[in-house]
Amino acid sequence: MFSWVASASLAVDFRRDVRPILARACFKCHGPDEEAREAGLRLDVQSGSRADLGGYQAIVPGAVEDSELIARVLSEDPDLRMPPTDEPLSDKEIETLKAWVAAGGEYVGHWAFERGSKPDVPETRDDAWPAGPMDRFVLKRIETAGLSTSGMATKTELIRRVSLDLTGLTPAPDEVAAFLRDDSPLAYEKLVDRLLATPEYGERFARPWLDLARYSDTNGYEKDRNRTIWPYRDWVIGALNADLPYDQFSIEQLAGDMLPSATRDQRIATGFHRNTMLNEEGGIDPLEFRFYAMVDRVATTGTVWMGLTTGCAQCHTHKYDPITHTDYFALMALMDNADEPEFAAEDEATIERREELLQRIRDQETAVAERVLLGEKNNPVLTAAFQAWMATIKPQIADWRTVAPTQAVSTMPRLTVQDDGAVLADGDATKRDVYTLTMPPTGPEPITAIRIEAMSHPSLPATGPGLAFYEGRRGDFYLSELDVAVAGEPIELGIGSTTVPKADEKNGKTYPGNVLDGDGSTGWSIPGDAGQTHRLVIPLKQPQAFDEPWTVEMLFERHYVAGLGHFRIDVTTDADVEANVVPSELQRRIVAENESPSHALQRDLAIRFLQTSKLMASHRKPVEALRRQLPKSVRTLVLKERDPSNKRTTRRHHRGEYLQPKEVVSPNVPAVFADDSAPPKNRLQLAEWLVSDRNPLVGRVTVNRAWREFFGVGIVRTAGDFGTQSEPPSHPELLDWLDAEFRDQGRWSLKRLHREIVLSATYRQRVGPAPESDPDHRLLSAFPYRRLDAERIRDAFLSAAGLLTRHVGGASVYPPQPAQVMEMAYGNNAWPTSKGGARYRRSLYTFSKRTAPFAAFTTFDAPSGEVCIARRDRSTTPLQALTLLNDAMYLEIAEGLAEQALRDERESGNVEPRGVAQRLFKRLFVRAPRADELQAILDFYQTQSGHEQPWMLVARA
């Protein structure tokens, strides 16, 4: 039996001792979630614990025997005992609760939700050991626990450790030798500063950030097609190397497009939230999966900048933390007004190069046109052919004029009439959209034909002209049906011609004539020919005057988003009309200058003849050679804030279900963070709030991630959860001190934060086992054993072997991996193994496919990129050893390492096994091998001496 008497000697801290018990055992049924709350009892706030529940209350301050909470945890009646699980509270936990109630049962707010103040640096008994203030916080805990520090690591241990931590690479032998020769007191500090200044620093710390950003080179889900998002990855590397202040680093990723005069880089930075997965399956509703993308963005934002599991509130109020169901959708509303276009991501040098080549192409074409077709030295045969071509063109040219709609509406995309009369679509689209265009009267002359001109536009996928964003269909559209009516009366239409290849014949379901067949499953599209202008001429069966307002209705219906993105409607009164290879602007000039064509028009027509005629093939070769030099266009995924006039409405979705939208929710941050300031109202204001003093978590979460990168475990172990379910910080005062330093004195500098950590005495300790009193090594009385992540394992081997290709940025590459890996993925995609230097690029650049992640990295717990990962798992499995021993990629690296060691030894004039073994060991571990280690290597070498590459086998082992 338990005693009702509380131990007066038991000193209880609510945050440290009591809240974790309540959070684990009580909050699920008696916490913030009103729907899940049992018996009307709320134990996550003091007022709830004092409430009158029919003649009793859970906690009566100072009266243990009158407190129903204590009675229930002590009850032997299984129907009354709490918690009602197979895991009742332990005796120690019950004594803790009794002591807390006896002392008054006072609640204290959860530390993470309160703004911290910078604590004073503590005094320590040992004044010689600390290298700076952070060491004093660590040493204070060590001394209080009755432990002692482990002493300093050797210089060889330090250079390997800090090189792997700051650059992800093994230091080269000459770098090690230079460091060991430097006897100055500042030798280590100079080494750290040199490493921080290398481009490899940004590559090293981009990897954990890309885990948070759920970066991948493919869309995910079933088809998992490729996407171009690597410009965002390169932006992260560049921002880290430039030490972009973390507040600006955050704002640009969340809302760079909304900054005044946003730069190319700031727009590319918004790729952070375009890393969400994209479902391209035929049977899905694209708006549903846009909703799921928003769900992912809310959860990711909460994890990265607040360290909270906000995603738990998608379906109901958070059961443990003060985040309501409505708070969740208010946070979504702040981010919900962005569209998701593509953006030209070429750098200035590439743009200048393209413009230079295009100008040379124009000059070359003009020169050929003037010299060969029009000039004094023209070729009579070709000139005659040109004149004959001109003669065939002119009769086909109709006098087309554009009619600008007076109103343009659709079922989903927003249609805007441009100054030139064209219509531009933007915003959301579905797999079945209807455009309705109201057109003004054209006058008394009978209209003979209507022309739809589908045109490219930089805002559209693959520059359009369609809205389709799926790989293989990007920039396409699918016009299923077309109806024209004057004053409400339908007009009978025929089908003329089109510039779509093979459109003069029936081309399956994409034949242009299908827009008039009454079948929504057939229509006109442009598969594989995006980025070009396409024209469809539709004659009226009986010419008719459009002397009253008329309408054009377009149906776009396909298993993918298929609306037109940029188009215009032209009409003509000419008798004979058909589509023509001559662009519309040239057609208009021909009509306008029909009687006396100018030399400029003849020159431009000659250029068109040069571009299209088989007779001009030999003259096109220099131009085609220049075209082949044009840099490949790179279009990446970004966010773009919608115009306020087209703002989305965000609703709360009951139980988080897409199909259960309820009341409209206004944008806001969670109520637990509310203060007297005006709340954020858009994505930019949210970004600014997240990195302001009004968010008490951002600095703590960020410095905690940095701490984990260097010591293996954060000050708060649960890196993605700082809420009531998290473990308390191992060094709470240090966490707040680092937070204040990072924000204020450090001016949000990640490099400065990393520098201070690696210069600390805590970091420079020798590696040692954890003491019995601190089995998880949280107090850091010695440097903890750590496992390198998957990418650093490979990069360390590549750099040690001298194989690493040090080229920063660019498209992803394909190191060797077993063919069976890709066979598991949908479509049995190829893995085009890279050749040459691309084969040995840093692991950061390895192509990432969500449904078939790179096998060697997955074995070592690398993520797939499907969700935000705040902390990787750390497993130890036999498969890891087998991968390092047998994977073809690692065998190739081992061969390179062996060859490098043999070359080094030959250059010294010696090829003795002892020397080769020592060089192999030092390249990998930096230090010289101990006598027993060297002997073991030589013994193993002797057992492999019959193999054609014995040193490769040694290097592998």
Side-chain angles (χ1 to χ4, degrees), residues 278-321:
L278 173 66
N279 195 336
E280 298 180 280
E281 296 174 45
I284 61 102
D285 177 354
L287 296 184
E288 178 182 8
F289 280 88
R290 185 195 172 275
F291 171 78
Y292 293 141
M294 290 305 305
V295 165
D296 171 69
R297 288 167 189 167
V298 174
T300 297
T301 301
T303 298
V304 175
W305 284 280
M306 293 187 281
L308 297 177
T309 54
T310 54
C312 293
Q314 175 193 347
C315 306
H316 47 71
T317 291
H318 204 296
K319 294 187 182 299
Y320 303 104
D321 294 334

Side-chain angles (χ1 to χ4, degrees), residues 374-388:
L374 303 174
E376 293 181 2
K377 297 181 179 179
N378 61 359
N379 182 315
V381 175
L382 292 178
T383 301
F386 169 58
Q387 296 299 332

Side-chain angles (χ1 to χ4, degrees), residues 575-598:
D576 297 317
V577 292
E578 57 180 292
N580 194 282
V581 293
V582 176
S584 298
E585 295 306 319
L586 269 180
Q587 291 185 41
R588 289 187 174 91
R589 290 168 62 190
I590 292 171
V591 172
E593 302 179 26
N594 187 42
E595 297 301 325
S596 55
S598 65

Side-chain angles (χ1 to χ4, degrees), residues 801 803 892-906 916 920 923 949 951-952 955:
L803 293 174
E892 190 173 326
I893 296 173
E895 183 178 358
L897 177 60
E899 290 175 356
Q900 183 64 55
L902 286 166
R903 277 197 301 271
D904 291 346
E905 191 66 4
R906 288 192 193 101
V916 178
L920 271 177
R923 274 193 164 271
Q949 289 183 297
W951 283 118
M952 182 273 286

Side-chain angles (χ1 to χ4, degrees), residues 501-656:
K502 300 181 182 177
D504 52 338
E505 303 172 6
K506 287 206 171 185
N507 184 19
K509 292 191 174 184
T510 63
Y511 171 60
N514 292 335
V515 302
L516 304 178
D517 65 0
D519 183 355
S521 67
T522 64
W524 174 43
S525 71
I526 54 164
D529 199 23
Q532 306 297 318
T533 295
H534 302 270
R535 291 175 291 276
L536 177 62
V537 173
I538 306 158
L540 275 62
K541 286 198 173 178
Q542 183 65 43
Q544 178 176 339
F546 290 179
D547 52 4
E548 297 183 72
W550 53 291
T551 58
V552 176
E553 186 173 277
M554 301 176 172
L555 169 65
F556 302 95
E557 186 171 31
R558 201 62 172 149
H559 62 273
Y560 53 86
V561 169
L564 263 171
H566 188 217
F567 64 97
R568 62 185 169 209
I569 305 293
D570 300 331
V571 298
T572 186
T573 58
D574 285 6
D576 297 317
V577 292
E578 57 180 292
N580 194 282
V581 293
V582 176
S584 298
E585 295 306 319
L586 269 180
Q587 291 185 41
R588 289 187 174 91
R589 290 168 62 190
I590 292 171
V591 172
E593 302 179 26
N594 187 42
E595 297 301 325
S596 55
S598 65
H599 181 81
L601 174 58
Q602 292 185 64
R603 180 200 61 215
D604 292 343
L605 285 168
I607 291 173
R608 186 67 181 173
F609 181 70
L610 166 67
Q611 294 169 343
T612 58
S613 173
K614 292 180 180 179
L615 296 173
M616 300 299 292
S618 62
H619 293 277
R620 280 199 299 271
K621 287 183 178 179
V623 174
E624 290 168 351
L626 289 173
R627 288 193 186 279
R628 286 193 292 271
Q629 297 176 39
L630 286 171
K632 187 177 179 181
S633 177
V634 176
R635 294 177 63 80
T636 192
L637 309 179
V638 298
L639 293 178
K640 180 184 178 183
E641 190 71 358
R642 281 186 163 199
D643 187 278
S645 65
N646 194 33
K647 190 172 184 179
R648 283 192 184 93
T649 297
T650 305
R651 296 178 179 272
R652 180 182 67 83
H653 288 251
H654 183 59
R655 298 195 179 279

